[in-house]
Amino acid sequence: GRPVAVIVTSRTAVADRARIPAEGVVCIRLEPFSDEQVGIWVSEWNRVNRLSLEARGLMALNTEVALAQAELASQPLLLLMLALYDADKNALQQADKDMSHAQLYEQLLGQFAEREVRKERPELDDQDLRREVENQLLRLSIAGFAMFNRGRQWATQTELDADLVALILQNGQQSSATSFRAPLSAAQLVMGQFFFIHQAQAVRDGNRSSAFEFLHATFGEYLVARIVANELRDIAVITALATDRSR
């Protein structure tokens, strides 16, 4: 006979933004998967995808291989990404045992970016494909930096559009309007292609606003580190070239 509100969320990183009453509230946090639960998940994945894997001559995902990346495998979303990664040519099982998290993230994100590029532009040759995949990762990195620069794990569509235009786009790239739908902004084009990005929307006074965040903070962290490393490498190359020419 009493009103009860139940909230289920994976946004634990921003839980401090919620005002929680001091009394009468029960909070439950689900722990990461145990090794046994990872094994159960992998078994179910293999059962559901058995025919698809066999048709492509691929091996089923091995629990030990998944647990070699225990920090990632213990998180359901990241375990799904590992499984999807391995479902393409058994990439995870063929990987070097000493592969770092950075190397794994590079291959994971690169694979998903390549899949989206091939879907949209199947006519590209290998060189143009690599260039467009790198462009996709650059845009994702700018999204990560848009959040990092503002000291939070999310950025509004307006903020991300402004950052993309300022850093790599000359005219605020938009999709062409081929239907009755309004054209998509640069931020929507980038963030709407990847399932590991969450978009929150709200309508206030008739105006719709959107914000984006990575479903797991480590994606944004890696992309920020990636773009910093790439920029420093490019500066070093340009500096060395200028020095050689001055001689």
Side-chain angles (χ1 to χ4, degrees):
R2 297 182 180 181
V4 174
V6 178
I7 299 174
V8 180
T9 179
S10 60
R11 310 267 75 79
T12 55
V14 293
D16 59 318
R17 291 163 52 195
R19 290 178 302 199
I20 303 175
E23 298 180 359
V25 175
V26 177
C27 294
I28 300 174
R29 179 179 181 269
L30 296 182
E31 294 292 333
F33 279 168
S34 66
D35 290 358
E36 180 183 2
Q37 289 170 319
V38 171
I40 294 172
W41 191 101
V42 170
S43 296
E44 184 66 10
W45 169 269
N46 289 333
R47 183 189 67 79
V48 172
N49 294 285
R50 179 178 61 83
L51 294 179
S52 174
L53 294 171
E54 290 178 353
R56 291 181 290 137
L58 298 175
M59 297 182 293
L61 180 59
N62 186 292
T63 301
E64 292 184 3
V65 171
L67 288 174
Q69 303 290 340
E71 186 178 341
L72 305 181
S74 64
Q75 302 293 328
L77 175 71
L78 300 185
L79 179 55
L80 172 61
M81 289 194 69
L82 291 176
L84 290 172
Y85 176 61
D86 191 66
D88 183 9
K89 304 177 184 177
N90 285 140
L92 186 63
Q93 299 185 62
Q94 300 296 332
D96 189 336
K97 292 183 179 180
D98 297 327
M99 181 171 59
S100 68
H101 282 174
Q103 291 170 320
L104 177 59
Y105 267 47
E106 179 70 16
Q107 295 184 30
L108 275 172
L109 296 175
Q111 183 192 84
F112 282 103
E114 180 177 336
R115 184 178 302 166
E116 289 300 318
V117 172
R118 287 188 183 277
K119 187 191 307 180
E120 297 294 328
R121 304 184 64 186
E123 78 284 356
L124 294 179
D125 59 27
D126 289 345
Q127 183 176 354
D128 289 337
L129 175 65
R130 287 194 298 271
R131 184 182 298 111
E132 190 55 37
V133 167
E134 184 58 35
N135 286 337
Q136 288 276 22
L137 293 176
L138 173 61
R139 287 170 168 80
L140 282 174
S141 297
I142 290 174
F145 234 105
M147 303 168 194
F148 179 80
N149 278 340
R150 294 172 173 86
R152 54 182 191 255
Q153 294 188 357
W154 55 275
T156 67
Q157 180 181 319
T158 302
E159 291 168 340
L160 183 51
D161 277 330
D163 287 4
L164 287 167
V165 171
L167 294 173
I168 60 174
L169 301 175
Q170 298 301 315
N171 55 4
Q173 175 186 343
Q174 292 185 331
S175 67
S176 56
T178 56
S179 67
F180 290 108
R181 288 185 176 184
L184 300 177
S185 72
Q188 290 172 319
L189 284 172
V190 174
M191 306 300 270
Q193 295 175 318
F194 299 94
F195 79 89
F196 50 82
I197 295 171
H198 174 71
Q199 179 180 8
Q201 293 185 322
V203 178
R204 184 175 183 180
D205 297 330
N207 297 317
R208 182 180 299 274
S209 60
S210 297
F212 300 98
E213 65 179 299
F214 292 99
L215 288 181
H216 200 276
T218 53
F219 295 134
E221 292 167 359
Y222 171 73
L223 288 165
V224 168
R226 184 183 194 274
I227 194 173
V228 169
N230 286 347
E231 288 297 315
L232 291 175
R233 181 199 61 199
D234 291 347
I235 290 172
V237 170
I238 293 170
T239 303
L241 180 60
T243 302
D244 289 341
R245 286 184 174 177
S246 68
R247 293 199 189 100

